[in-house]
Amino acid sequence: MFNIFLQPYQPFIKLYPLEMNKLNLKGLTLQELENYALSIGEKKFRGKQLFDWLYNKEATSFAEMSSIAKPFRDKLTENCIINSIEVIDIRESSDGTKKFLFELEDGKRIESVLIPPRTAFENPWAREEEDQKRLTLCVSTQVGCPLDCKFCATGSMGFLRNLTTGEIIDQILQVKKYTGKRISNLVYMGMGEPLLNYDRVMKSIEIITTGMNIAARRITVSTVGLVPEIRRMAEENRKNKLAISLHSLDDNIRTQLLPIAKKYGIEELINTVYYYYKKVKRRPTFEYILFDGLNDRSKDVQNLIKLSRRIPCKINIIPYHKVKSTQHLMINSMLRPTPKDRIERFVQKLRDAHISVFVRSSAGEDIDAACGQLVIKEERRKLKRNASIVKHSKVEIE
Ligand code: SAH
């Protein structure tokens, strides 16, 4: 009776029939776990114990939960499971960036990128000590993505499905387990559009901020610019940080790069971000990939300066990682990265106008760290080999 709002169990092909009707606890909030404990005749505080074991002590079985009474553990074993995603490949870049390739219960694949201190952003104002401690994980929110942004590897693979809350959370738990390190910052900038999976993304943030010791101000959700969802974030007074993939303030250019921009034009988007800023009182970040000759002209600098006069914000300049893409070869072959010296000049003009500008380093380029690249490469290789990879076996590293 109490658990009607718990996430419905989704049968995945890898499970044995006996486990099909069990409730997956990973991905449930504190309140949901407390309600579950009550619904099976246990005390409410058992829910809190479970919450700590799952997210803080990173338990993967009920047997490990030594502070929980044996009869309750037996009940849990009978009725519940703790699903995990499986690490099938880890690649380390020369700069220390690590890319994790995961296989989900249904065999689909996603990736997360762990960005070491100092390489996440080139930030002239960062305090040395804080910078040293920062370990940022970039997480995925969907398998593939329906938005088809013309420069993005994930876009070219189409949309397969949303991740569950448990799968989003598990990327952090697995990376912590493998590296033994505490993750201090999270960016929802991996595969997918987080705001198209709004409820599960926000639920994952609730669990992370209450159970995993990462404050909301250290969590950034990046969106292509979905107006209704940004408005919803403002109305719900969400305290995580917001980043908008802007890439141009010219509707013509933006629609060429991001098809969704036909639905939400610049004016509507900027008005909504302004509303968000006024309501939540957090400075948004505008992300801006620099493409040679397309959005790196002086007119574009002036547009960004004007924008930052209207909305106090940060600007995050991203060097373009050229990706091989099958679906939109035409536009993709026309997109070229702005050369380094011109990136520097572009950034300097913005800084001269007293704007906080960060330049994302090209960390991890040698391991295909841009959004979705590794999964696609692995899928292509899988097709080429035309042989089934034995499940659970490690994918060989080049
Ligand atoms: N859908 C969300 C989050 C995923 S993409 C969004 O659009 O914001 C995360 C960031 O990586 C976005 O700013 C996106 O524009 C950028 N990105 C994607 N592909 C890239 C590439 N090939 N080179 C550089 N940045 C890229």
Side-chain angles (χ1 to χ4, degrees), residues 145-150 193 196 223-229 245 251 254-266 268-269:
C145 181
L147 293 176
D148 196 26
C149 301
K150 299 307 175 195
E193 166 54 42
L196 284 178
T223 175
V224 73
L226 302 183
V227 162
E229 284 77 12
S245 294
D251 270 318
R254 200 162 187 269
T255 46
Q256 282 180 52
L257 296 169
L258 315 162
I260 193 73
K262 289 190 198 108
K263 192 164 176 192
Y264 307 115
I266 292 288
E268 191 187 9
L269 175 62

Side-chain angles (χ1 to χ4, degrees), residues 145 147 149 151-153 188-194 222-224 243-245 247 287 289 318-323 360 370-371:
C145 181
L147 293 176
C149 301
F151 47 82
C152 177
Y188 284 67
M189 293 184 186
M191 296 170 74
E193 166 54 42
S222 174
T223 175
V224 73
I244 297 102
S245 294
H247 310 325
E287 294 163 278
I289 305 177
I318 311 175
Y320 171 47
H321 285 222
K322 207 162 172 57
V323 294
R360 191 183 296 169
C371 178

